[in-house]
Amino acid sequence: MGGGGGVKESDKNSIDLDVVYQQYAKLVYRFLYVHTHDAQWSEELTQETFLRAVTSIWRYDGSCKLSVWLCQIAKHVLYQELRKKKRADFVELPEHVIDDASADAERDVLQKENKMELYRAIHHLSESEREVVLYRMSGELSFREIGDIVGKSENWCRTVFYRAKMKMKKELSAYE
């Protein structure tokens, strides 16, 4: 697959879409779940992403990794759906499951307050910092995978994550 004009007709046949789906569906799903925190919706968006990838495979020019191309499609699909549904607040961490047997009311209140402060600290980060932090925390993605998704180097992601973590730590310590 060459550099500029898309996938050649002869190359389309060499891409096994079943293999592509098996290899990248989980990554695309995790990418979407980081933004939506809704398993069913993320699954639907993943399916839509692969449907669009199949119908536009001719556009893939090989200038980036296939995983990056798929995540770009996923992001586009997500933003289109958000505009349709007018969902503005889609970046949020999932609720933590608390063991009812060991949790007491005081600890629940403290955890909720701490979680809210963490959300506020994350909210105050720049968009790129927030994206890297959320992928790292919620998506359990490696810095290399995050770099592939956002089109940056692994070291860039590490640096952004470290700086964001320091900003959040400073903000959270000011709260205490």
Side-chain angles (χ1 to χ4, degrees):
M1 281 169 244
V7 176
K8 297 178 201 162
E9 190 64 38
S10 61
D11 290 341
K12 285 186 204 175
N13 298 330
S14 67
I15 297 175
D16 185 341
L17 296 173
D18 289 332
V19 171
V20 169
Y21 182 82
Q22 293 298 321
Q23 189 172 358
Y24 297 109
K26 191 173 185 178
L27 174 72
V28 170
Y29 172 83
R30 289 189 314 197
F31 172 83
L32 290 164
Y33 187 80
V34 164
H35 290 293
T36 66
H37 299 288
D38 181 322
Q40 184 177 355
W41 195 30
S42 295
E43 184 60 39
E44 291 169 10
L45 293 171
T46 299
Q47 297 302 319
E48 179 64 23
T49 297
F50 279 93
L51 176 65
R52 292 204 190 165
V54 166
T55 60
S56 63
I57 191 68
W58 58 272
R59 289 185 183 169
Y60 179 67
D61 64 6
S63 63
C64 64
K65 291 183 179 183
L66 192 55
S67 60
V68 173
W69 184 70
L70 290 168
C71 286
Q72 289 170 343
I73 293 171
K75 195 172 196 176
H76 183 72
V77 167
L78 173 63
Y79 288 160
Q80 280 185 326
E81 288 299 312
L82 288 171
R83 280 192 297 272
K84 282 183 195 173
K85 295 182 179 193
K86 299 203 188 290
R87 287 188 175 190
D89 188 20
F90 69 99
V91 177
E92 187 177 322
L93 293 176
E95 292 291 324
H96 294 284
V97 178
I98 299 170
D99 182 0
D100 291 333
S102 64
D104 63 321
E106 184 178 344
R107 192 172 86 206
D108 286 351
V109 169
L110 288 174
Q111 282 183 333
K112 189 168 186 169
E113 283 181 18
N114 290 339
K115 185 171 48 172
M116 288 302 294
E117 290 310 310
L118 178 61
Y119 289 156
R120 282 188 188 101
I122 291 171
H123 179 73
H124 289 122
L125 296 173
S126 70
E127 184 178 342
S128 60
E129 290 170 330
R130 187 170 45 246
E131 189 172 29
V132 170
V133 167
L134 290 174
Y135 288 152
R136 186 70 177 161
M137 291 174 61
S138 300
E140 300 172 6
L141 299 173
S142 70
F143 289 114
R144 179 175 295 168
E145 291 171 319
I146 296 168
D148 285 347
I149 291 168
V150 299
K152 301 286 186 175
S153 72
E154 181 178 348
N155 286 337
W156 180 89
C157 293
R158 286 182 191 280
T159 302
V160 168
F161 183 76
Y162 176 78
R163 288 178 181 160
K165 194 168 67 169
M166 291 298 107
K167 284 182 183 178
M168 289 173 27
K169 190 175 184 177
K170 186 176 179 181
E171 187 167 330
L172 291 172
S173 66
Y175 171 74
E176 292 174 1

